[in-house]
Amino acid sequence: MDQNTLKITNVLSDPTRFSIYQFISKQRGDVTVQEIADQFSIHPNVARLHLTKLEDVQMIDSTTKKTGKGGRPSRFYRLSGEVIQLQFPFRDYQRLANIALQSLADFGEAGREALEKIGFKYGRESAEAYVQQFHINHQKLSRAEKVKIIEQIAVNQGLDPEVQYDEKRNEIHLSIYNCTFKELMFEHSLSLCSMHHQLFNGIFSFFFGEHTVKENSRMTDPEAQACLYSVIALADES
C-alpha cells in the first residue's frame, strides 16, 4: 500500500470525519468551520481539526474570503477537484476510458452515434433494473412518483441531482451537479455530453414513453455549475 493511500484510509477511518466529507460533497457551495460545527454538534476547534486533516490529503480545498463584517477573513471549504480512488490491486480504468473514447472518436460521426445508442440503452436498463429491484409497478405510479424514482436513480449513479417537478405546467427541470466523467469531459465533451444526454433520454423513455430531454446547459459552459435538462409536456408510457 503506498503512503498516500495509507493516509487517506487513516483520515476516513474516523466516522465523524467521513460524515463531514460526505456532507461537504453534497453542498452546492462553500462551507465554514462554524457550519460544520453546528451540523455535527462539535466544537469549532474540533471541526477545524477534521477539516485540516481532509485538506491534508487533498480531499477538500479551502480559501479565505472577507465576509464584509470586518475582522479577519474567514476560511471556506469545498470539495476538492482531485479524484480519490482506493483500489486493491491497482486498476487504471480512466486510461481504459480514454482509450475507448479515442477509439470511438476515430470513427467520427459513426462512433458518436454508437456511444449515444449505448447511453440510451444503459439509461433505460438502469431504470428497468431499479423498478425490478424494488418490485415496483411503475405503470401504476403517479407522474410525481416517477420523477422521485428518476431522481433516486441519478443519486445512485453519483450524479448529485436536483429535480424539480412543476405539476401545473407538467414539466421537469433536472440539474446535475456532479459529472461522473468529469476528468474526461473537457477532452471528450462532445462524445460524453451527447452520451449522457441520451442516458437521460433512456431513463425518461422508460417512465414516460419516447420523450425528448432538452439540454439547456453543460458544466463545460463558462461559469456553469451544473448540467441542466428539461422535459416538457410529460405523458405516461403507453
Side-chain angles (χ1 to χ4, degrees), residues 70-140:
R72 297 171 58 186
S74 296
R75 186 168 290 275
F76 293 82
Y77 297 84
R78 65 166 51 235
L79 195 66
S80 167
E82 294 291 323
V83 178
I84 305 300
Q85 298 188 64
L86 301 176
Q87 300 182 59
F88 308 97
F90 178 74
R91 298 289 186 267
D92 192 350
Y93 292 112
Q94 184 169 329
R95 180 175 296 182
L96 176 61
N98 263 316
I99 292 170
L101 287 168
Q102 189 58 56
S103 299
L104 283 168
D106 289 344
F107 286 99
E109 184 66 20
R112 188 177 64 82
E113 288 179 0
L115 195 58
E116 287 180 354
K117 287 180 181 178
I118 292 170
F120 184 91
K121 182 174 182 288
Y122 179 81
R124 193 170 178 93
E125 287 178 350
S126 63
E128 184 175 8
Y130 185 92
V131 299
Q132 287 180 350
Q133 179 183 357
F134 295 102
H135 309 289
I136 299 169
N137 185 347
H138 67 283
Q139 294 178 333
K140 292 186 177 180

Side-chain angles (χ1 to χ4, degrees), residues 140-153:
K140 292 186 177 180
L141 298 176
S142 67
R143 291 175 186 170
E145 288 170 332
K146 291 178 180 180
V147 171
K148 276 293 182 186
I149 290 179
I150 290 171
E151 182 175 23
Q152 189 57 54
I153 291 170

Side-chain angles (χ1 to χ4, degrees), residues 4-202:
N4 191 53
T5 298
L6 187 60
K7 288 179 181 178
I8 293 170
T9 54
N10 284 338
V11 167
L12 294 180
S13 64
D14 184 284
T16 300
R17 198 174 300 136
F18 181 70
S19 296
I20 289 172
Y21 177 71
Q22 286 186 308
F23 174 77
I24 293 173
S25 71
K26 294 176 182 177
Q27 303 310 301
R28 305 289 184 240
D30 300 337
V31 299
T32 65
V33 169
Q34 190 60 54
E35 287 173 328
I36 294 297
D38 293 342
Q39 176 69 25
F40 293 93
S41 301
I42 56 179
H43 192 278
N45 288 341
V46 177
R48 188 176 290 106
L49 177 63
H50 285 309
L51 291 166
T52 299
K53 287 184 177 293
L54 288 167
E55 189 172 18
D56 285 344
V57 293
Q58 299 182 314
M59 298 186 73
I60 61 173
D61 293 326
S62 70
T63 55
T64 54
K65 302 178 186 178
K66 292 185 177 180
T67 61
K69 299 179 181 179
R72 297 171 58 186
S74 296
R75 186 168 290 275
F76 293 82
Y77 297 84
R78 65 166 51 235
L79 195 66
S80 167
E82 294 291 323
V83 178
I84 305 300
Q85 298 188 64
L86 301 176
Q87 300 182 59
F88 308 97
F90 178 74
R91 298 289 186 267
D92 192 350
Y93 292 112
Q94 184 169 329
R95 180 175 296 182
L96 176 61
N98 263 316
I99 292 170
L101 287 168
Q102 189 58 56
S103 299
L104 283 168
D106 289 344
F107 286 99
E109 184 66 20
R112 188 177 64 82
E113 288 179 0
L115 195 58
E116 287 180 354
K117 287 180 181 178
I118 292 170
F120 184 91
K121 182 174 182 288
Y122 179 81
R124 193 170 178 93
E125 287 178 350
S126 63
E128 184 175 8
Y130 185 92
V131 299
Q132 287 180 350
Q133 179 183 357
F134 295 102
H135 309 289
I136 299 169
N137 185 347
H138 67 283
Q139 294 178 333
K140 292 186 177 180
L141 298 176
S142 67
R143 291 175 186 170
E145 288 170 332
K146 291 178 180 180
V147 171
K148 276 293 182 186
I149 290 179
I150 290 171
E151 182 175 23
Q152 189 57 54
I153 291 170
V155 168
N156 292 350
Q157 293 184 8
L159 299 174
D160 192 11
E162 185 177 285
V163 182
Q164 297 177 332
Y165 174 50
D166 188 329
E167 192 169 359
K168 289 184 178 180
R169 295 187 177 183
N170 192 25
E171 60 188 48
I172 298 173
H173 298 280
L174 173 65
S175 303
I176 299 299
Y177 287 91
N178 179 48
C179 178
T180 51
F181 312 115
K182 187 175 182 180
E183 288 64 46
L184 302 171
M185 69 179 182
F186 287 98
E187 185 178 354
H188 302 284
S189 61
L190 180 61
S191 299
L192 285 175
C193 292
S194 296
M195 185 271 288
H196 223 212
H197 186 173
Q198 288 303 316
L199 181 145
F200 285 114
N201 266 330

